[in-house]
Amino acid sequence: MKRDMRIWLKDLLEAPVKKAMPILSFPAIQPMGVTVRELISDSGLQAKAMELVAERTDAAASVSLMDLSVEAECFGSAIHVTDGEVPTVVGSIVSTEEEARALEIPAVGSCRTGLYIDAIKNAAEHITDRPVFAGVIGPFSLAARLLDVTEIMIDCYEEPDMVHTVLEKAASFITDYCKAYKEAGANGVMMAEPVTGLLSPALAEEFSAPYVKKIVEAVQDDTFLVIYHNCGGSTISMIDSILDTGSAAYHFGNAIDMAEMLSHVPEDIVVMGNVDPAGELRNGTPKSVREATLKVMESCCGHKNFVISSGCDIPPLSPWENIDAFFKAVREFYAG
């Protein structure tokens, strides 16, 4: 459903009681009785998963699968799929400048992107009480999957032209992918750029921020927002270039001190995070999740631009008792 997303964001910023906005979709496999393998292969199941989460929680928005293998698979990468974990990319497909130049930009809709776009179209038609955000990978994180995460760290120094060639193609594809999501009815995207968190601030400024900014400028408007996500441990040191991307809001992981991060972000920009998704929501207990959630909120909710969330995508097999405890703790905090 089309809506003025600038007003939604302004209302979220100004609300004294803010709804949580975790990255929550994959755990729907449990009440649905399906596997991750089945979920990622069926647009109807993906839409149903988003609807189930929307019905069960009062989250500020519905966020689709954060599956960072989809775009790389379109370029030709092999992926590893299991029944209970988020898919991962195996190996690399580019190792030379010649291969980078020869790399073809795939058509949006190829491989599983068509399924994911259809899922958002279906979900957006049925979830009308809150915005619907699709998930996409960021340009440097996509390039890292095509070149290999370890190798790209070396290539940034030794083969920068090759990295930029791949980045240009990655950014072009992601731009078109975001536009397809917009056309399908999404109100925005959550763009995951976690590999950038492994870079130095200078390298992040050269190899990530300009490409993210280019995508944001091409797709973001009053009806469609980009929320930038980076769960790396170096995000505070590179916050200037991250903010320069012009994204509408920012989402950070539990590797950083969120209260410190908030001191570096203007108070009119929404910042989300950062309860540990693996250590707490997947492997904790309802009691420990409650304590972890309240701890983050107590240290951060003094900033009017803070919205409580998970630090990253909540793992598929996270107990719903823990997820429910997270939302219950949010209500408890605001109830005083």
Side-chain angles (χ1 to χ4, degrees), residues 72-127:
E73 185 183 27
C74 278
F75 275 89
S77 296
I79 66 169
H80 176 65
V81 181
T82 65
D83 287 342
E85 299 294 336
V86 177
T88 56
V89 173
V90 180
S92 64
I93 61 171
V94 176
S95 59
T96 66
E97 176 66 30
E98 291 71 24
E99 290 174 344
R101 289 197 297 267
L103 186 67
E104 294 187 6
I105 302 173
V108 171
S110 60
C111 296
R112 287 179 293 131
T113 58
L115 293 176
Y116 282 46
I117 292 166
D118 286 344
I120 287 295
K121 184 176 187 297
N122 190 336
E125 290 173 351
H126 292 89
I127 302 172

Side-chain angles (χ1 to χ4, degrees), residues 140 147 152 155-156 159-167 207:
F140 187 78
L147 286 158
I152 198 171
D155 293 335
C156 285
E159 300 285 349
D161 290 343
M162 176 179 69
V163 177
H164 282 297
T165 297
V166 175
L167 280 166
F207 290 100

Side-chain angles (χ1 to χ4, degrees), residues 28-309:
I29 64 170
Q30 299 173 61
M32 290 171 63
V34 300
T35 65
V36 169
R37 191 188 304 272
E38 291 169 325
L39 185 68
I40 67 170
S41 304
D42 189 313
S43 63
L45 289 178
Q46 291 172 32
K48 183 179 178 181
M50 295 178 70
E51 291 173 42
L52 185 152
V53 172
E55 291 169 359
R56 180 157 180 167
T57 74
D58 63 347
S62 175
V63 183
S64 74
L65 307 182
M66 187 174 279
D67 177 355
L68 305 188
S69 71
V70 176
E71 296 90 345
E73 185 183 27
C74 278
F75 275 89
S77 296
I79 66 169
H80 176 65
V81 181
T82 65
D83 287 342
E85 299 294 336
V86 177
T88 56
V89 173
V90 180
S92 64
I93 61 171
V94 176
S95 59
T96 66
E97 176 66 30
E98 291 71 24
E99 290 174 344
R101 289 197 297 267
L103 186 67
E104 294 187 6
I105 302 173
V108 171
S110 60
C111 296
R112 287 179 293 131
T113 58
L115 293 176
Y116 282 46
I117 292 166
D118 286 344
I120 287 295
K121 184 176 187 297
N122 190 336
E125 290 173 351
H126 292 89
I127 302 172
T128 58
D129 64 339
R130 69 198 74 183
V132 171
F133 284 85
V136 298
I137 197 171
F140 187 78
S141 296
L142 175 53
R145 281 157 175 77
L146 303 179
L147 286 158
D148 181 81
V149 172
T150 301
E151 292 300 322
I152 198 171
M153 300 301 163
I154 301 170
D155 293 335
C156 285
Y157 291 101
E158 298 184 354
E159 300 285 349
D161 290 343
M162 176 179 69
V163 177
H164 282 297
T165 297
V166 175
L167 280 166
E168 288 285 353
K169 296 182 178 185
S172 176
F173 177 76
I174 294 167
T175 299
D176 290 342
Y177 195 21
C178 289
K179 289 179 178 178
Y181 273 134
K182 182 191 290 191
E183 181 67 24
N187 303 113
V189 292
M190 178 85 75
M191 180 186 291
E193 187 70 317
V195 185
T196 298
L198 302 175
L199 297 173
S200 69
L203 289 179
E205 186 174 0
E206 177 181 356
F207 290 100
S208 175
Y211 296 97
V212 174
K213 185 174 185 176
K214 186 176 182 179
I215 296 168
V216 170
E217 290 176 344
V219 305
Q220 186 165 267
D221 57 27
D222 289 346
T223 66
F224 191 87
L225 305 183
V226 177
I227 299 176
Y228 173 98
H229 165 77
N230 188 332
C231 52
S234 301
T235 48
I236 293 176
S237 64
M238 59 182 66
I239 188 59
D240 289 345
S241 68
I242 289 175
L243 292 175
D244 190 54
T245 65
S247 302
Y250 298 87
H251 191 284
F252 299 109
N254 53 284
I256 63 163
D257 182 328
M258 183 59 79
E260 182 182 352
M261 172 60 83
L262 284 161
S263 70
H264 295 280
V265 180
E267 63 177 14
D268 61 343
I269 297 177
V270 170
V271 178
M272 305 175 183
N274 70 341
V275 177
D276 187 346
E280 289 297 343
L281 291 161
R282 172 65 179 91
N283 296 310
T285 64
K287 179 181 178 182
S288 69
V289 169
R290 171 186 175 273
E291 292 172 349
T293 303
L294 291 175
K295 181 179 180 180
V296 174
M297 297 186 76
E298 286 163 1
S299 66
C300 297
C301 284
H303 297 266
K304 72 172 189 176
N305 57 331
F306 175 71
V307 174
I308 187 68
S309 178

